[in-house]
Amino acid sequence: MAEHTRANLPPLALHVPEPKFRPGDAVDFAAVDVPPAGATRRPDTADDARSFTDLAYGLVRVLDENNHAVGPWDPRLSPDMLRRMLRSMALLRAFDERMFRAQRQGKTSFYMKATGEEAVSVAAAHALDYEDMCFPSYRQQGLLIARGWSLVDMMNQIYSNSADRLQGKQLPIMYSAREAGFFSISGNLTTQYPQAVGWAMASAAKGDTRIAAVWCGEGSTAEGDFHSACTFAAVYRAPVIMNVVNNQWAISSFSGFAGAESTTFAARAVGYGIAGLRVDGNDALAVYAATQWAAERARTNQGPTLIEHFTYRAEGHSTSDDPGQYRSAGEPTAWPLGDPVKRLKDHLIAIGEWDEDRHVAQDRELAEQVKAAQKEAEKNGILGHGLHQPLDTLFDGVFEEMPWHLREQQAQMIAEETASGRPWDRK
């Protein structure tokens, strides 16, 4: 283009995303498009991904304004299943509250709550088979709780105490429970995505029937690992469910920095030829239905599904974070999709299968259950009281077969501890 022509053009400008509300601002989520419950169509799981691109831009919802389950995505769950899901979500919330207090009391260094996101993990856990392998991020402790994993064992890991099966090698809340189909959490963002796809590919290559499910936050979709995983999943039609938890905030960066102003996160699937669903993440029935649908698709060799869970992080990113420094205090209560625990409770009450008195009694019972588990775990020590593992265990669990030079170093360390008169009891 000639120089004189360019002179007539306006200067280029860079768009820098800005959150709509800052501390002190009044909150108005009127711009958030919330379609009526039951309005989103439900295609056959065998349909070609290109035939339902619209689902990546809509919102799968089941619970309506009157707390009833409506529309084609209604999973028609029994009252017993609904109560089990409600109990798991309430137990997760009670667990989070007590571990948050434990961190504030100096008993551990770090904790992350799932407040407002309980349905994302709990409903999915109930929709998956127990044998399916889950590759969580760091806010899916509800998977373990829904699968009946020991609260004491989880607390031992949080405290890095003498009963911590991971021997203090992981940061608090980075659990690992192979027996519960719960892959080791990594602090590095989205490494679990290619791992999950690889595991799913291996399951298919062996002719197994188990599928994989993986979770990450919306901010992590900007990581290269996310896109590498999508490529492999699409090319090989890996039997995997790829969950993106869009809770609006990646620590202190709002979702616009990851692309939320341009399109939905479910739309990431469109370019890869992957089935994409956008789901009301605070509607436990919608999460269950979408996960069940995606699981059937994966098990029948129709390929992967990417599910965006549209939800909201009600509290701070972690105990190291103060959300009051970067977002309006009114956001959590103004969020238009409500509280997932309350919505499921209200649904059960609406169908005559629950009541407020029973709910209060259950909350009290679960609080006592968590308190008792905490007392049991603290018998094994707390992080604030120093090292609980023998120093030479730093060699354990690193190699399947320890190299000779490390065996020598371990033996030397044990000998020096013994000679010092302060040997560790490794029984």
Side-chain angles (χ1 to χ4, degrees):
M1 183 180 291
E3 185 175 345
H4 70 276
T5 306
R6 289 201 306 269
N8 295 326
L9 295 176
L12 295 173
L14 188 67
H15 171 67
V16 179
E18 283 287 339
K20 289 183 171 56
F21 317 112
R22 287 294 192 181
D25 291 344
V27 177
D28 181 4
F29 281 118
V32 176
D33 183 20
V34 181
T40 304
R41 67 187 183 91
R42 183 185 186 278
D44 190 279
T45 55
D47 286 356
D48 191 294
R50 290 173 293 185
S51 69
F52 47 79
T53 298
D54 57 303
L55 296 178
Y57 300 93
L59 196 65
V60 174
R61 302 183 67 221
V62 174
L63 293 175
D64 67 11
E65 303 308 313
N66 297 315
N67 305 310
H68 288 286
V70 298
W73 285 95
D74 178 6
R76 303 185 185 281
L77 300 178
S78 70
D80 283 343
M81 172 60 84
L82 294 172
R83 281 188 288 264
R84 286 199 297 273
M85 287 170 55
L86 179 64
R87 184 178 181 87
S88 294
M89 291 166 66
L91 178 56
L92 168 56
R93 188 162 289 188
F95 182 88
D96 277 354
E97 287 295 333
R98 184 154 287 274
M99 289 297 94
F100 179 88
R101 291 201 299 273
Q103 190 278 336
R104 290 295 191 248
Q105 293 166 353
K107 295 179 178 180
T108 188
S109 60
F110 184 74
Y111 193 74
M112 301 181 77
K113 298 171 75 173
T115 309
E117 302 175 41
E118 290 88 352
V120 170
S121 57
V122 169
H126 283 282
L128 294 166
D129 287 350
Y130 192 89
E131 292 75 20
D132 293 332
M133 181 60 77
C134 297
F135 291 76
S137 182
Y138 39 66
R139 215 183 300 275
Q140 278 78 56
Q141 57 266 43
L143 294 168
L144 285 173
I145 286 175
R147 289 185 164 185
W149 195 249
S150 165
L151 300 183
V152 175
D153 185 77
M154 294 171 69
M155 291 175 179
N156 286 335
Q157 194 282 322
I158 292 168
Y159 289 143
S160 297
N161 60 27
S162 61
D164 175 14
R165 292 181 299 105
L166 306 184
Q167 299 177 313
K169 291 184 173 71
Q170 280 274 53
L171 286 170
I173 63 88
M174 293 189 179
Y175 316 100
S176 177
R178 183 176 183 178
E179 302 88 339
F182 189 96
F183 199 82
S184 304
I185 295 177
S186 170
N188 297 318
L189 295 180
T190 332
T191 56
Q192 68 272 20
Y193 253 67
Q195 292 166 349
V197 173
W199 191 96
M201 290 170 61
S203 182
K206 293 187 296 184
D208 204 339
T209 59
R210 296 175 296 168
I211 66 172
V214 58
W215 289 258
C216 77
E218 85 285 346
S220 297
T221 63
E223 295 285 337
D225 279 349
F226 173 85
H227 296 279
S228 296
C230 286
T231 298
F232 274 84
V235 169
Y236 295 99
R237 295 186 183 175
V240 60
I241 304 172
M242 308 166 83
N243 297 281
V244 175
V245 185
N246 178 9
N247 65 14
Q248 315 305 312
W249 291 94
I251 310 184
S252 58
S253 298
F254 88 114
S255 58
F257 282 106
E261 290 183 341
S262 303
T263 188
T264 68
F265 291 98
R268 298 277 196 276
V270 176
Y272 288 103
I274 293 173
L277 297 175
R278 189 164 175 264
V279 177
D280 179 350
N282 288 17
D283 180 343
L285 274 69
V287 174
Y288 184 101
T291 304
Q292 184 184 52
W293 184 91
E296 181 182 335
R297 186 172 175 84
R299 270 186 243 282
T300 54
N301 294 311
Q302 303 302 318
T305 301
L306 190 154
I307 303 175
E308 175 190 346
H309 301 271
F310 194 58
T311 181
Y312 187 83
R313 195 193 76 208
E315 300 194 21
H317 175 74
S318 71
T319 48
S320 302
D321 176 47
D322 177 10
Q325 296 297 310
Y326 55 82
R327 73 182 188 189
S328 169
E331 285 192 28
T333 53
W335 181 244
L337 297 179
D339 177 278
V341 176
K342 183 179 185 302
R343 288 179 67 186
L344 184 55
K345 178 198 73 172
D346 289 347
H347 171 59
L348 274 163
I349 292 174
I351 62 175
E353 295 290 345
W354 199 240
D355 58 61
E356 291 288 356
D357 289 342
R358 291 169 72 183
H359 193 77
V360 170
Q362 176 174 268
D363 279 348
R364 188 179 303 113
E365 174 199 347
L366 296 178
E368 289 301 318
Q369 178 183 340
V370 174
K371 181 179 179 181
Q374 182 184 27
K375 287 184 178 180
E376 188 65 27
E378 290 182 0
K379 292 178 182 178
N380 302 312
I382 59 175
L383 184 60
H385 288 175
L387 185 65
H388 294 279
Q389 301 288 339
L391 287 175
D392 62 285
T393 61
L394 64 89
F395 298 96
D396 296 344
V398 181
F399 297 93
E400 184 176 4
E401 294 184 13
M402 193 185 301
W404 65 269
H405 65 286
L406 291 184
R407 288 199 302 271
E408 284 190 357
Q409 291 178 35
Q410 184 182 41
Q412 181 181 2
M413 179 177 286
I414 293 173
E416 289 177 354
E417 287 179 353
T418 302
S420 70
R422 300 190 306 275
W424 282 89
D425 183 1
R426 303 199 71 203
K427 291 187 286 186

